[in-house]
Amino acid sequence: MLGSKQFMGDVSAVHCHSLSPPFLSRFSKRRTVLRTRADSTTCIHATARPRNAVPRIRASLKHGDGFNAAPAFVSVAIHGSRRVPLSSTTRAGIGSIDKVVNAKEPIPLMLVSDLDFTMVDHQDNENVDQIRFNSLWAADYAHNSLLVFSTGRSPEKYQQLRREKPLLTPDVGIFSVGTEILYGPSLDPDVGWENHLNDGWNRDLVVRECQNFLSLKPQEESEQRLHKVSFYIEKDLAGDTVRDLTKRLEDLGLKVKLIYSGGYALDILPHRAGKGEALAYLLEQLKETKMTPKGTLVCGDSGNDAELYTVEGVRGVIVGNAMEELLRWYDGLQFKTNIFMAVQRCAGGIIEAIEHFGFGPYEIPADRVLEISHKTHTMENSVPTKGSATREVVEVNTALVLWVNGDCPNTDAAHNRILSVMAEDATMVYPWGEERILRKSVITYKDKYGLKKNAKVQVWMDGMKVQKLADDIFLVTWQNWQQLTNGENRKGYFATAILRTKLGNPNGLEWVRVHETPRG
């Protein structure tokens, strides 16, 4: 909030902005579909399995909407004649969906998003739409909804991306093209899912056979997983290679999927793996705990995301920058009313979809703040809720960022959006240990308008949680991240705010106390 000497000199600074017919036949049939096109190739392969083999995810995918296929492997990747040990993720404990949901409250929305070129736009160095999504999620969804990242990246590559981009922390991570499910900030693995994938999987045999295909170039060691073997392949060689490799692995009796995506990547997985299967598994777990989300939105841009849209009951968005392989798959669907074609790229398209499907609020906190920067705020006379508390925290922090960046009007109305909600006796403990009266800091802060206009601040709020301590008292906690828009000088803080009801204020609340502590 007002707490960084980096941006505000001796007054302190800013934090924030934000901060995240059923496929029954697959149990009784064998089918292999090969699609070869000039720009993309996808292979679907499913071997016969008992109807009771996968009780947790039965009836999860819509009939006929499969996209890819995959074989699986076991313990080492082989580069030429050299055997390379598989990378392993640190196992903090056994994870389960129970650890990330509050069984006492319903889940309005579960948002499931791919990362690269879906949530994250690698062509936007300032991450504008991703920051806007972060602020919307922190303000209106993080306190009662679930954020799931479903990515082809390994956990190691995901952690690398977190260091490069302003990612929120998901409640659940589906990694390595649906072969790993990890829970919470500590990335606790779902061992039950791992065991589930072992059926019909022989990694060593898959690796051995792939050595006979010179067109396959092994991906990095971090991407070779217990249940995934990954290669690079030239686009013009993909069609013949996928066809021939699929037949060879099928002849050996392996139960696998081959997934070709991005025009360059080929993943071989167990037949039970994949982004769609992993999501169906999560939804079944939530159903068993009577916590099925009221709505599920899946978001993607490439071929390995197609399975997500086939999971029963979901709505989907194909972002505006989607790859040709996914667009061709979409064009071939007979029924597609559950899928929205966004105009905006990446996270901007996800925000579009939230509005299109009516899942909940879609107005970005920065837009709300700018609207009242030109006028006196609307009186809020309704009793505040937990959602009001998170929204208030995000909006005030957003107002601070806009002010110091010079991105809002230099008006009394804009400054009063911050000052008017501070209780007369409100205090703040700053990251360097000093305690101050909040209103005095905010008054001094008025002279800092546009201080960072030449090196703007970018802030997001992660891990937003709220507790109702009494009928009129709320405790909000979050992790505050801030950096310059070029990605430099990133710093993090743990933050706590106590708010109490004050009808007539925006969101019906006023600030009583704030405490910020630097991350270690």
Side-chain angles (χ1 to χ4, degrees), residues 351-379:
I351 296 169
E352 268 191 88
I354 291 174
E355 177 182 4
H356 174 79
F357 289 118
F359 281 124
Y362 57 86
E363 187 178 11
I364 306 303
D367 295 340
R368 293 198 292 261
V369 170
L370 287 172
E371 182 180 352
I372 67 170
S373 295
H374 300 276
K375 59 184 181 180
T376 304
H377 67 76
T378 302
M379 302 293 283

Side-chain angles (χ1 to χ4, degrees), residues 410-479:
N410 187 357
T411 62
D412 288 340
H415 183 258
N416 285 339
R417 174 59 184 93
I418 308 166
L419 182 62
S420 66
V421 295
M422 301 299 163
E424 291 291 340
D425 57 348
T427 58
M428 176 169 178
V429 177
Y430 290 86
W432 54 89
E434 182 179 357
E435 184 173 15
R436 295 183 182 179
I437 299 297
L438 259 177
R439 288 184 65 86
K440 290 183 179 180
S441 293
V442 173
I443 290 170
T444 306
Y445 186 79
K446 189 173 185 180
D447 296 333
K448 305 299 179 182
Y449 177 83
L451 178 70
K452 301 302 296 181
K453 64 181 179 181
N454 295 323
K456 292 188 177 183
V457 180
Q458 189 175 71
V459 185
W460 65 100
M461 303 173 72
D462 192 14
M464 183 78 73
K465 298 184 185 303
V466 59
Q467 300 177 52
K468 191 171 185 179
L469 302 182
D471 287 342
D472 62 344
I473 301 291
F474 296 89
L475 173 68
V476 185
T477 60
W478 69 96
Q479 295 177 47

Side-chain angles (χ1 to χ4, degrees), residues 73 76-80 82 84-87 116 151-154 157 176-177 203 207 210 213 215-225 228-234 259-269 304:
F73 351 177
V76 295
I78 302 176
H79 297 234
R82 183 168 62 93
V84 181
L86 282 175
S87 62
D116 297 290
T151 176
R153 285 179 177 253
S154 64
K157 283 293 185 71
S176 305
V177 200
R203 187 181 195 283
V207 170
C210 287
F213 290 80
S215 59
L216 297 176
K217 309 301 180 185
Q219 293 185 24
E220 302 92 319
E221 294 177 23
S222 66
E223 304 312 289
Q224 309 300 339
R225 316 297 294 182
K228 181 171 80 77
V229 179
S230 296
F231 299 94
Y232 295 118
I233 185 170
E234 294 182 15
I259 300 181
Y260 173 67
S261 64
Y264 64 90
L266 178 66
D267 297 306
I268 307 175
L269 320 174
N304 69 13

Side-chain angles (χ1 to χ4, degrees), residues 381-434:
N381 291 311
S382 59
V383 177
T385 64
K386 287 184 176 181
S388 305
T390 54
R391 190 177 306 115
E392 171 65 11
V393 168
V394 173
E395 286 184 5
V396 166
N397 279 276
T398 298
L400 290 165
V401 172
L402 292 172
W403 186 267
V404 75
N405 283 344
D407 287 338
C408 65
N410 187 357
T411 62
D412 288 340
H415 183 258
N416 285 339
R417 174 59 184 93
I418 308 166
L419 182 62
S420 66
V421 295
M422 301 299 163
E424 291 291 340
D425 57 348
T427 58
M428 176 169 178
V429 177
Y430 290 86
W432 54 89
E434 182 179 357

Side-chain angles (χ1 to χ4, degrees), residues 160-424:
Q160 176 183 328
L161 186 64
R162 283 182 63 87
R163 293 189 290 271
E164 299 168 353
K165 293 289 185 176
L167 281 174
L168 298 179
T169 301
D171 299 288
V172 184
I174 298 173
F175 297 103
S176 305
V177 200
T179 61
E180 298 177 67
I181 300 177
L182 308 178
Y183 297 93
S186 57
L187 299 179
D188 294 334
D190 191 320
V191 177
W193 176 247
E194 294 177 356
N195 293 335
H196 173 71
L197 298 183
N198 287 331
D199 178 63
W201 179 242
N202 186 330
R203 187 181 195 283
D204 287 333
L205 184 55
V206 170
V207 170
R208 188 187 73 193
E209 292 303 317
C210 287
Q211 290 181 83
N212 297 321
F213 290 80
L214 299 180
S215 59
L216 297 176
K217 309 301 180 185
Q219 293 185 24
E220 302 92 319
E221 294 177 23
S222 66
E223 304 312 289
Q224 309 300 339
R225 316 297 294 182
L226 184 63
H227 294 101
K228 181 171 80 77
V229 179
S230 296
F231 299 94
Y232 295 118
I233 185 170
E234 294 182 15
K235 184 183 294 187
D236 58 350
L237 300 176
D240 290 342
T241 300
V242 171
R243 181 192 63 234
D244 295 344
L245 180 57
T246 298
K247 184 178 186 306
R248 177 58 182 162
L249 295 174
E250 183 182 31
D251 289 344
L252 291 172
L254 291 173
K255 299 179 180 181
V256 299
K257 286 182 179 179
L258 276 66
I259 300 181
Y260 173 67
S261 64
Y264 64 90
L266 178 66
D267 297 306
I268 307 175
L269 320 174
H271 72 112
R272 288 180 170 179
K275 289 186 174 185
E277 297 279 0
L279 175 57
Y281 174 86
L282 286 179
L283 286 168
E284 186 65 24
Q285 286 194 85
L286 288 166
K287 181 179 179 181
E288 289 178 359
T289 59
K290 303 187 186 307
M291 292 300 295
T292 301
K294 292 182 179 179
T296 299
L297 175 63
V298 301
C299 319
D301 77 300
S302 71
N304 69 13
D305 299 317
E307 273 194 11
L308 291 172
Y309 304 98
T310 70
V311 176
E312 185 178 11
V314 308
R315 303 290 182 89
V317 56
I318 295 176
V319 294
N321 55 293
M323 292 185 172
E324 185 69 16
E325 65 202 39
L326 186 59
L327 298 178
R328 287 178 179 266
W329 172 83
Y330 172 81
D331 289 341
L333 292 178
Q334 184 176 1
F335 302 103
K336 56 182 82 171
T337 56
N338 68 312
I339 301 176
F340 171 66
M341 299 294 293
V343 174
Q344 299 296 318
R345 294 175 57 86
C346 300
I350 296 174
I351 296 169
E352 268 191 88
I354 291 174
E355 177 182 4
H356 174 79
F357 289 118
F359 281 124
Y362 57 86
E363 187 178 11
I364 306 303
D367 295 340
R368 293 198 292 261
V369 170
L370 287 172
E371 182 180 352
I372 67 170
S373 295
H374 300 276
K375 59 184 181 180
T376 304
H377 67 76
T378 302
M379 302 293 283
E380 180 59 72
N381 291 311
S382 59
V383 177
T385 64
K386 287 184 176 181
S388 305
T390 54
R391 190 177 306 115
E392 171 65 11
V393 168
V394 173
E395 286 184 5
V396 166
N397 279 276
T398 298
L400 290 165
V401 172
L402 292 172
W403 186 267
V404 75
N405 283 344
D407 287 338
C408 65
N410 187 357
T411 62
D412 288 340
H415 183 258
N416 285 339
R417 174 59 184 93
I418 308 166
L419 182 62
S420 66
V421 295
M422 301 299 163
E424 291 291 340

